[in-house]
Amino acid sequence: MEKIVTANKKSPRDTPVPLYLQVKQLITEKIHNGEWQPNDRVPSESELVKQFECSRMTANRALRELTAEGLLVRVQGVGTFVAEPKGQSALFEIHSIEAEILARGHNYSCKIIRLEQVPASVSLAAELNISADTMVFHSIIVHYENEVAVQIEDRYVNALAAPDYLKQNFSVITPHDYLSMVAPLTEGEHIVEAIEADERAAKLLNIAIGSSCLLISRRTWSQSFVVTSTKLLFPGNRYKLKGHFTS
């Protein structure tokens, strides 16, 4: 159960320091001295206005800057929370979606939408650390759990790292499993976003246009090669992201 913390009712107007900076300092002190713990919900803008006798603009600026500095995390529609210490990080293990589905005792299947060779755009070339217009491999595969679509995998592959990628039967082996054999993972990067399904995604996942989805943008390395740049799209009501935290 989340703990909601409160601030001391002390007006920042007692000193000549700018109001927003005083509010920031008071919040920072409570975090650093342990009075406010990670994941505690901090006072809202309106609560800060009342407790610190400041304007909403001042409270908003203090919360916004502390969020940008990594001390707070703001969750839309939920509130603002004390962030986990910077010494901790979320480690998301990379597994084959087929293995995950089979481990739950469910049936796995997939549908190959696209398998092709294309020239890398400028932005994709930067992600794969190659020259623009270099030919890369592109695959789009929909993965199913018990015949229900649970993921669209849109993957670009560095041809130098996996030259036989297009020759594989991905109805038999997943791209993840194949790449793990020919270009073993040594490093990975994730970016997680909440988005709404567009017409194409809605059709492939059999959901309504505008439905909430989770998008994971992932890059993987094998030694000095950037092997893949992949976007994994999940229907929000069919997927839960699990992470392990360590310090």
Side-chain angles (χ1 to χ4, degrees):
M1 182 175 179
E2 78 179 29
K3 182 174 72 174
I4 302 175
V5 296
T6 58
N8 295 335
K9 188 164 184 173
K10 174 184 175 182
S11 173
R13 299 178 185 278
D14 295 342
T15 65
V17 179
L19 293 176
Y20 83 91
L21 189 56
Q22 292 178 52
V23 175
K24 281 184 63 176
Q25 290 173 339
L26 290 168
I27 293 174
T28 300
E29 287 173 7
K30 291 183 179 297
I31 294 173
H32 287 168
N33 68 22
E35 185 176 343
W36 292 4
Q37 294 292 314
N39 300 315
D40 283 349
R41 185 165 71 81
V42 305
S44 65
E45 288 181 16
S46 58
E47 290 169 330
L48 289 174
V49 167
K50 184 181 298 183
Q51 293 169 10
F52 288 134
E53 299 177 4
C54 62
S55 69
R56 179 175 289 273
M57 184 179 298
T58 295
N60 177 274
R61 180 173 179 179
L63 292 177
R64 188 174 68 249
E65 292 193 5
L66 287 170
T67 299
E69 292 166 13
L71 284 179
L72 301 178
V73 175
R74 306 187 79 174
V75 181
Q76 185 67 36
V78 179
T80 303
F81 301 82
V82 178
E84 291 283 352
K86 290 185 178 180
Q88 296 184 327
S89 62
L91 305 178
F92 300 105
E93 298 178 351
I94 299 177
H95 297 295
S96 163
I97 187 169
E98 178 183 16
E100 292 180 352
I101 290 172
L102 294 177
R104 292 193 284 269
H106 295 169
N107 295 320
Y108 166 81
S109 60
C110 71
K111 181 178 181 180
I112 299 170
I113 306 299
R114 185 169 298 174
L115 197 58
E116 61 186 354
Q117 182 172 271
V118 297
S121 65
V122 173
S123 59
L124 178 62
E127 291 181 22
L128 292 176
N129 194 27
I130 58 177
S131 300
D133 292 327
T134 298
M135 299 306 289
V136 297
F137 302 138
H138 180 216
S139 60
I140 299 177
I141 299 175
V142 181
H143 300 279
Y144 296 83
E145 183 169 358
N146 290 341
E147 300 184 356
V148 176
V150 293
Q151 181 195 97
I152 300 173
E153 173 192 312
D154 191 341
R155 183 186 297 267
Y156 288 91
V157 179
N158 186 335
L160 293 176
D164 294 328
Y165 184 78
L166 293 182
K167 299 178 183 178
Q168 307 311 306
N169 182 355
F170 292 124
S171 295
V172 176
I173 184 171
T174 65
H176 168 86
D177 288 338
Y178 172 69
L179 292 170
S180 295
M181 292 189 296
V182 300
L185 174 71
T186 58
E187 185 179 351
E189 171 189 271
H190 291 88
I191 299 174
V192 183
E193 301 174 81
I195 67 171
E196 295 182 349
D198 59 17
E199 183 177 359
R200 170 180 166 277
K203 182 177 180 180
L204 291 176
L205 293 173
N206 193 26
I207 57 178
I209 297 174
S211 296
S212 297
C213 291
L214 183 68
L215 176 65
I216 298 180
S217 300
R218 173 187 294 167
R219 286 199 299 165
T220 58
W221 283 257
S222 183
Q223 301 304 327
S224 59
F225 280 107
V226 181
V227 179
T228 65
S229 175
T230 310
K231 293 189 182 299
L232 306 173
L233 186 68
F234 303 83
N237 63 344
R238 300 175 193 162
Y239 184 77
K240 179 170 64 176
L241 181 64
K242 181 179 180 181
H244 175 70
F245 293 79
T246 187
S247 60

